[in-house]
């Protein structure tokens, strides 16, 4: 049944917007939200411009689309309330297709636009990591702040960006999520954790991080063959571990669970991270009945009573006919944090003043979601988790 906008709704259906995205292709597209800058306008009347790079390639689109809708929801809400310092914010979406050339083109589009003061909520992980590498090669006087990117390896920011101080992470990376999810399960006397990666690229990106997290909990790691190799051989992926850590997205996890074979009577927990949508997984089929699935997220639960969650749900209901999701909430928080920093600037809001304000790393509380730093490092890493039980119930 087709869902229609509510009477008086000023937003659009997300599926209609995404159909427009698909019709126009991916690479180099720019979607602007707000008032278009004009050289004829006085500086005080021009909108602030914030860009968001979103990787809509096949293996990233599920993550990026929810995150992007959350950010667009926040910026529409902010503009409906008068913008920042009385000026609207033009939210530009720069879409990429997952290739280095597409990413570089998107980055250059934002970099060369003098009115663009920041990149905010860039998603997914590969795109955000690639943007940091591109930024590290740019001249210091042209630095474009990277605010609240969707990064898995947050500990590697300083290494990737060299001596520059232009990346301001907000969300807990994979290592913090792994530690949070596994530490309680590991207290049951488990000494070895199985790890399955969605593909070889994900393994290269995450293997060192997984090893470090396991070492910190005195656990051994045993890598499980990826789903594809078992499928080609015509056999299921048989595992003996009580805890299996899965690194990948929702479709890959579904495939892994579909091929999973456990010893008779063995209780098993599959731990997945914030790129997985547990609600979607539950709707895809009954394969999760083989094991309980625990999924972490770097934001509060979408049914929590925190003010930021209520604001997100209310705004989403006004502007989009979509159910709330953890990744959507993350995108919403990314935009809200960016706007909070912009609002605290005294004087003109420019790329330089935005960077200077971010470098102070002042503590910010966005409706109960606290963001704080000690030096360049976050002092908190917000992680929650939900579980899909073997009988199909979602708990948490």
């Amino acid at each position: 049944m087709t869902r229609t906008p509510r009477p008086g709704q000023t937003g659009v259906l997300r599926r209609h917007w995404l159909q427009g995205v698909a019709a126009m292709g991916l690479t180099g597209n720019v979607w602007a939200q707000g008032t278009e800058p004009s050289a004829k306008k006085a500086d005080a009347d021009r909108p602030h411009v914030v860009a968001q790079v979103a990787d809509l390639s096949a293996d990233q689109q599920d993550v990026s689309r929810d995150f992007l809708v959350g950010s667009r929801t926040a910026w529409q809400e902010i503009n409906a309330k008068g913008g920042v310092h009385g000026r609207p914010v033009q939210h530009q979406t720069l879409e990429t297709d997952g290739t280095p050339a597409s990413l570089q083109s998107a980055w250059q589009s934002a970099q060369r636009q003098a009115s663009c003061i920041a990149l905010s909520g860039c998603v997914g992980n590969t795109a955000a990591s690639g943007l940091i590498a591109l930024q590290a090669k740019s001249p210091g006087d042209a630095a474009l702040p990277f605010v609240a990117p969707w990064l898995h390896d947050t500990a590697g920011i300083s290494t990737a960006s060299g001596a520059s101080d232009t990346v301001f992470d907000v969300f807990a990376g994979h290592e913090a999520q792994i530690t949070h999810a596994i530490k309680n399960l590991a207290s049951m006397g488990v000494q070895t954790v199985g790890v399955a990666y969605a593909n070889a690229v994900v393994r290269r990106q995450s293997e060192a991080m997984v090893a470090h997290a396991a070492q910190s909990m005195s656990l051994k790691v045993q890598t499980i063959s990826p789903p594809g190799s078992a499928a080609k051989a015509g056999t299921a992926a048989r595992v003996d571990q009580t805890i299996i850590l899965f690194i990948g997205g929702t479709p890959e996890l579904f495939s892994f669970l579909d091929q999973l074979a456990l010893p008779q009577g063995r209780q098993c927990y599959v731990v997945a991270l914030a790129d997985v949508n547990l609600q979607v997984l539950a709707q895809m089929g009954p394969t999760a009945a083989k094991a309980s699935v625990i999924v972490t997220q770097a934001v509060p639960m979408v049914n929590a009573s925190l003010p930021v969650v209520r604001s997100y749900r209310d705004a989403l209901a006004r502007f989009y006919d979509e159910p709330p999701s953890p990744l959507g909430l993350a995108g919403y928080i990314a935009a809200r944090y960016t706007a909070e920093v912009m609002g605290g600037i005294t004087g003109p809001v420019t790329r330089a003043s935005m960077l200077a304000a971010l470098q102070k790393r002042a503590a910010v509380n966005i409706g109960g979601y606290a963001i704080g730093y000690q030096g360049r490092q976050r002092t908190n890493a917000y992680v929650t988790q939900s579980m899909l039980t073997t009988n199909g119930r979602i708990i948490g």
Side-chain angles (χ1 to χ4, degrees), residues 252-293:
E252 295 87 0
L253 176 57
F254 179 82
S255 177
F256 175 77
L257 291 167
D258 190 40
Q259 298 163 27
L260 185 64
L262 298 172
Q264 186 68 29
R266 171 64 59 87
Q267 184 178 28
C268 180
Y269 297 91
V270 175
V271 177
L273 306 179
D275 278 352
V276 168
N277 187 318
L278 196 60
Q279 287 74 18
V280 171
L281 180 66
Q283 296 167 4
M284 291 179 73
T287 57
K290 297 179 180 179
S292 295
V293 180

Side-chain angles (χ1 to χ4, degrees), residues 338-352:
T338 304
E340 287 281 342
V341 176
M342 291 170 62
I345 295 174
T346 301
V349 179
T350 64
R351 186 179 299 188

Side-chain angles (χ1 to χ4, degrees), residues 35-102:
T35 307
E36 186 69 23
S38 171
K40 297 180 181 179
K41 293 184 178 181
D43 287 343
D45 296 327
R46 293 176 183 170
H48 307 293
V49 180
V50 173
Q52 182 173 18
V53 176
D55 181 356
L56 294 182
S57 58
D59 62 343
Q60 293 291 310
Q61 58 184 316
D62 287 342
V63 172
S64 296
R65 284 171 172 170
D66 274 4
F67 196 100
L68 191 52
V69 167
S71 293
R72 290 175 66 86
T73 298
W75 289 119
Q76 289 190 64
E77 178 186 43
I78 290 164
N79 283 336
K81 294 180 179 179
V84 178
H85 292 307
R87 291 165 59 181
V89 176
Q90 180 183 327
H91 172 224
Q92 290 188 348
T93 303
L94 305 173
E95 300 159 8
T96 74
D97 61 6
T99 62
S102 174

Side-chain angles (χ1 to χ4, degrees), residues 276-311:
V276 168
N277 187 318
L278 196 60
Q279 287 74 18
V280 171
L281 180 66
Q283 296 167 4
M284 291 179 73
T287 57
K290 297 179 180 179
S292 295
V293 180
I294 297 172
V295 173
T296 62
Q297 55 196 50
V299 293
M301 308 298 294
V302 295
N303 58 356
S305 60
L306 288 176
V308 67
V309 178
R310 295 200 304 269
S311 295

